[in-house]
Amino acid sequence: MNDEPAFTLSRRGALVGGAAAAAAGAVPIDAGAAPTGPAQPAPPTVPVRFTVNGKARALDLDPRVTLLDALREHLNLTGSKKGCDHGQCGACTVMVEGKRINSCLTLAVMHDGDAITTIEGLGRPGDLHPMQAAFVKHDGFQCGYCTPGQIMSSIAVLQEIKDGVPSYVTADVAGSATLTGEELRERMSGNICRCAAYSNIIAAIADVAGAKDVA
Amino acid sequence: MKPFTYERAASPAAAAAAVARTPGAKFVAGGTNLLDLMKLQIETPRHLVDVNRLGLDTIEPTAEGGIRIGALVRNTALAADARVRRDYGVLSRALVSGASGQLRNKATTAGNLLQRTRCPYFYDTNQPCNKRQPGSGCAAIGGFNRNLAILGTSKDCIATHPSDMAVAMRALDATVETVMPNGQTRRIAIADFHRLPGSTPWVETALVAGEMITAVTLPAPVGGTHIYRKVRDRSSYAFATISVAAVLRPTNGTARFAFGGLAHKPWRVEAAETRVDGGAKAIAAAALAGAQTTDQNGFKIPLVERTLASVLAEGAAA
C-alpha cells in the first residue's frame, strides 16, 4: 500500500536528532496545557479511505490524527508543512475536493471518500506545475518552508477568482473580481512567509495568470 | 488532544440524539475552531459526532421569498452564492472580511455562529476565565482588554463574540433553525441566539444540550445599499476591533445598523436607526447607550462614530 520512500534520509534524521537534543533539559513548550497524570488509553481506531494525488489510500487511524499528520506521518508525504498547527500560517495548505484548506485543522477521519491533492501531486523536478516554475523564476521564496502552502494557495486563488468568489477588496461583490495586486494580496493573507518573499510571490501568481502591471 | 471517540451521524436528529446521550459529546462540522481549541485542551470532548454528510449544504429559496442556508454551507460557498451577492451583499462582504481563504472553505454557517471568543485570557490556560473554567474569575477585567467588549458586559466576563457573519445576519433579521434531541424543531431569532455573559458567561447561546443548528433563514431581500466595514489592527486576516453592517435606504426608506466587536453578540439597537437624520453622532449615541469602557477600550466609542460617518458617506455616494 505504502510505496512512498521510507524515512532513511540522513538530513531529516540529523534534524530530528538535533531538535531532540536541543529540547533535552528545556521546559516543554506546552507544559501549561498538558496536565500531568497517567496516560489515557488511545481511543479505538477508525478506518478511512481517500485518494491522495490520484492514488487510493486506506488507513486505520486514531481519530485525533489530523489530515496533515496523516499525510506527513502515515503516508510519508512531507511536502505539506507543519508551521503553527493552528491554521494561522497556511504552510499545511492542501486541496480537498478542489478547495484549499488548512490540513492541520481537520481530522483525517472526516475525509472518507475525498480526493486530496498535495504539493507532491502538482509536478516533479523537470516537469513542474506552471505555478511551481513561476515561483522558481520569480524567486518566490527564500528558506522554502512556507512554499508548498503558498503554491497550493496560489493555484486555488486563481481558480476562486475564476469561480466568482468575491474578496473583501472586491469593489462590487455582485460583479467579478479584477486581477490586481490588492486582490492577490488579500486572497493570499492566510499564507505567512517569515522570509517576506511576498512581492515575488505576487509576481509569480500574476505571471501564471497572465496579468500585466500587477503591483 | 485528549482522546475521544468518533462517529459519523446518519441524520440531523440522530446527531442531536447522539450528542445528548453521550457524555462529553460535541458536534464537529468544519472543525476549524473546535480542533484549534482541542489542541490547546480548552475544549476536551470525549466523543465527536461528525455532521458533515447530512445533506445540509445547500442554499434554497423559501416560500416567503428569502433563502434557507443549510447549516453546513461553507463560508466561501455562502459568500459566493449569486443570490447572496446580489440580494444580501452585506452578508457576502461580512463573510469575506473574516478569517482566510483556506478557513472560509472549511468553516460552516452553523460553526461560524457557534465559534468561541478570541479573548486572550480564554486562550491562556494559565489564567482564570469564567468561560473556560466557570467560577475561576475574569483576568480580562483589569488585564489587557483594549479589544474587548464595551456593551452587555458583566463583572464576570467582557469577552466579545468574534463572528462577522453573525453581525450581517443580525442586520438582515436572520432566523436560526434547529433540531432537538427528541426530533422536534424550533426557530430562534438571531437577536435571541447569542447570550450576554451575565453571571453565567459559559452559557453562550440559546441552544439546549444536544440541540443542533440545521439552517439559517433570511427573509425576502430588503434592497438598499449594503456595506460591511471592518476596522482591525491589520488590514486582512484579523478579528474586528469594531465592525459595522449597514443596509441603507432599503425599500421602506429606513436604515439598519448592526455592530461587531462591541459585545458577546451582534449589537443592534433598532431605536438608533430612526436617528439617521442626525448623522453618525446621533446614531452612535443611541446605539452605544450604556456602554461601559475600561481604561483601554474607550476608543471604541469614537471609532464606531467615525466608522459610521464613513459608512454613511459611502452610502450617500452609492
Side-chain angles (χ1 to χ4, degrees), chain B residues 22-289:
Chain B
T22 317
K26 283 190 101 71
F27 302 109
V28 64
T32 53
N33 187 219
L34 180 60
L35 283 177
D36 179 30
L37 294 170
M38 286 168 66
K39 290 178 183 193
L40 297 165
Q41 298 190 12
I42 293 166
E43 293 274 15
T44 54
R46 282 179 275 163
H47 185 67
L48 286 186
V49 178
D50 185 341
V51 294
N52 274 287
R53 310 200 183 206
L54 304 179
L56 299 175
D57 55 353
T58 59
I59 304 171
E60 308 287 350
T62 63
E64 296 77 32
I67 56 172
R68 173 175 287 105
I69 304 156
L72 272 285
V73 172
R74 311 287 158 173
N75 288 177
T76 300
L78 183 54
D81 181 85
R83 290 158 293 188
V84 174
R85 289 158 63 201
R86 184 187 64 224
D87 297 331
Y88 307 98
V90 65
L91 176 59
S92 187
R93 290 186 179 282
L95 282 159
V96 295
S97 80
S100 68
Q102 292 97 312
L103 290 166
R104 292 191 295 267
N105 279 343
K106 201 84 183 72
T108 63
T109 304
N112 192 313
L113 289 175
L114 292 173
Q115 65 179 307
R116 310 291 305 272
T117 185
R118 282 357 184 250
C119 174
Y121 298 97
F122 174 71
Y123 267 77
D124 184 347
T125 53
N126 292 308
Q127 300 277 352
C129 169
N130 285 321
K131 275 190 183 297
R132 181 166 32 75
Q133 196 173 352
S136 63
C138 173
I141 298 171
F144 181 77
N145 54 37
R146 76 176 271 283
N147 214 17
L148 299 181
I150 62 171
L151 286 159
T153 57
S154 75
K155 65 177 178 43
D156 294 317
C157 184
I158 58 170
T160 58
H161 194 273
S163 174
D164 293 294
M165 181 194 80
V167 179
M169 285 180 170
R170 180 70 180 88
L172 294 169
D173 288 330
T175 301
V176 180
E177 297 187 347
T178 72
V179 61
M180 315 277 266
N182 64 8
Q184 287 186 334
T185 60
R186 69 165 171 154
R187 295 163 56 84
I188 307 166
I190 187 81
D192 302 325
F193 185 79
H194 292 104
R195 288 181 49 139
L196 294 173
S199 57
T200 56
W202 56 92
V203 182
E204 299 185 342
T205 69
L207 299 179
V208 301
E211 187 172 7
M212 178 181 158
I213 299 172
T214 51
V216 174
T217 57
L218 299 181
V222 293
T225 301
H226 287 225
I227 298 171
Y228 190 77
R229 183 69 56 81
K230 182 172 177 178
V231 183
R232 41 189 161 171
D233 286 344
R234 62 182 182 207
S235 62
S236 184
Y237 198 12
F239 290 96
T241 295
I242 66 113
S243 67
V244 178
V247 181
L248 303 171
R249 300 187 310 274
T251 40
N252 61 1
T254 59
R256 299 179 182 190
F257 303 99
F259 303 90
L262 303 182
H264 192 266
K265 66 189 300 180
W267 199 259
R268 181 176 173 193
V269 177
E270 276 83 347
E273 296 167 1
T274 62
R275 310 289 297 276
V276 177
D277 290 346
K281 209 174 183 67
I283 301 165
L288 306 186

Side-chain angles (χ1 to χ4, degrees), chain A residues 28 30-40, chain B residues 2 41:
Chain A
D30 60 350
T36 53
Q40 295 177 40
Chain B
K2 291 288 202 184
Q41 298 190 12

Side-chain angles (χ1 to χ4, degrees), chain A residues 12-33:
Chain A
R12 179 184 165 86
L15 286 171
V16 171
V27 178
I29 196 160
D30 60 350

Side-chain angles (χ1 to χ4, degrees), chain A:
Chain A
M1 189 66 231
N2 186 351
D3 54 5
E4 293 299 325
F7 286 140
T8 54
L9 304 174
S10 59
R11 178 169 167 268
R12 179 184 165 86
L15 286 171
V16 171
V27 178
I29 196 160
D30 60 350
T36 53
Q40 295 177 40
T45 57
V46 178
V48 59
R49 289 169 184 273
F50 42 57
T51 306
V52 183
N53 301 331
K55 198 179 293 185
R57 300 288 198 170
L59 295 169
D60 207 18
L61 296 172
D62 182 319
R64 290 173 290 182
V65 174
T66 62
L67 179 59
L68 176 63
D69 284 340
L71 294 168
R72 289 180 53 83
E73 310 296 335
H74 294 261
L75 299 174
N76 294 352
L77 292 166
T78 55
S80 307
K81 299 302 185 219
K82 185 181 281 194
C84 67
D85 209 23
H86 287 277
Q88 296 170 4
C89 76
C92 68
T93 303
V94 302
M95 309 277 195
V96 174
E97 295 292 303
K99 312 274 190 207
R100 58 173 168 156
I101 66 163
N102 301 105
S103 61
C104 74
L105 284 187
T106 191
L107 298 170
V109 294
M110 290 162 65
H111 292 284
D112 197 55
D114 281 347
I116 296 152
T117 306
T118 70
I119 189 77
E120 291 92 341
L122 293 185
R124 293 271 165 194
D127 182 26
L128 297 180
H129 182 282
M131 192 65 77
Q132 291 174 310
F135 268 65
V136 173
K137 176 182 165 191
H138 291 277
D139 239 352
F141 52 86
Q142 283 187 46
C143 83
Y145 194 81
C146 73
T147 311
Q150 298 277 4
I151 290 174
M152 299 308 288
S153 245
S154 298
I155 294 167
V157 159
L158 294 182
Q159 190 59 48
E160 287 164 11
I161 291 174
K162 268 188 199 154
D163 292 344
V165 177
S167 88
Y168 189 62
V169 301
T170 306
D172 175 13
V173 288
S176 57
T178 46
L179 236 162
T180 63
E182 190 187 19
E183 275 285 355
L184 294 178
R185 283 191 290 275
E186 163 61 24
R187 290 167 189 267
M188 288 296 292
S189 69
N191 289 82
I192 311 298
C193 173
R194 179 63 181 80
C195 308
Y198 297 111
S199 54
N200 293 358
I201 291 170
I202 297 302
I205 303 171
D207 193 350
V208 171
K212 302 247 187 296
D213 303 324
V214 166

